[in-house]
Amino acid sequence: MKELKIKTHICEVHMDELTDTERDLIAKAIEATNRSYSPYSHFQVGAALLLENGITIMGCNQENAAFPAGICAERSAIFAAGAEYPDQPITMLAIAARNPRGVLQSEPVSPCGTCRQVLIETETRFHRPIRILLYGQRCVYVMDGIRNLMPLSFTEF
């Protein structure tokens, strides 16, 4: 048997260590949490992505009684970007969430497995990693590319 060690690279930073663009994108992700339709989980997730052309797209989770007919915040933003700007690569994605009491999460939240796979597909499509900002009140996790959260991906570029 051979044991393999898989490494990822995630930076834990404070908001004041981010660029203005990164802070603005996080603010939009936080704003998007207020647009969430989450009557079942009461977990409001917001996402904001920045396209290469400078346009920002926001998304939020949308739940449905006919589970799994809803959609996560990340995928709602990615699919909206793909519908409106199909030739524009995503350069950065920020994600924020509120707990069932409506309070912003103290720790960063990460995308679900399905969203991670969609992010991998998006990076593969455009042949470039997406800078990902996972917001929490205590800190922000920053990574260059979804493979840092899903290193054994289904596809590669």
Side-chain angles (χ1 to χ4, degrees):
M1 177 172 83
K2 179 180 178 183
E3 182 177 317
L4 301 176
K5 292 191 182 209
I6 298 171
K7 294 183 180 183
T8 63
H9 183 78
I10 300 171
C11 294
E12 180 179 297
V13 302
H14 296 283
M15 287 291 284
D16 61 358
E17 297 176 272
L18 298 172
T19 67
D20 289 342
T21 301
E22 291 168 333
R23 285 192 298 271
D24 289 345
L25 199 63
I26 287 172
K28 289 191 184 304
I30 292 169
E31 178 186 336
T33 64
N34 294 316
R35 300 176 184 187
S36 166
Y37 178 71
S38 49
Y40 305 102
S41 72
H42 306 288
F43 192 72
Q44 303 164 280
V45 182
L49 57 83
L50 180 64
L51 299 175
E52 188 174 66
N53 64 5
I55 292 175
T56 300
I57 305 288
M58 293 167 45
C60 58
N61 59 321
Q62 301 290 307
E63 296 179 351
N64 192 291
F67 184 80
I71 192 167
C72 297
E74 301 91 314
R75 284 182 285 142
S76 72
I78 292 167
F79 295 158
E84 292 293 321
Y85 305 96
D87 298 327
Q88 285 298 307
I90 298 168
T91 61
M92 195 176 339
L93 170 69
I95 303 166
R98 295 179 186 276
N99 67 24
R101 295 184 318 278
V103 177
L104 286 168
Q105 292 288 109
S106 61
E107 296 296 318
V109 296
S110 64
C112 73
T114 302
C115 288
R116 291 177 192 206
Q117 186 61 47
V118 169
L119 283 160
I120 287 169
E121 186 72 22
T122 304
E123 288 184 349
T124 301
R125 176 182 178 186
F126 291 106
H127 304 288
R128 65 174 72 177
I130 297 168
R131 186 164 179 85
I132 300 171
L133 311 169
L134 305 178
Y135 173 80
Q137 289 189 67
R138 186 185 67 77
C139 67
V140 178
Y141 292 163
V142 179
M143 66 208 72
D144 289 317
I146 191 61
R147 284 167 180 78
N148 287 296
L149 288 178
M150 197 166 166
L152 298 176
S153 61
F154 187 68
T155 60
E156 293 186 31
F157 70 90

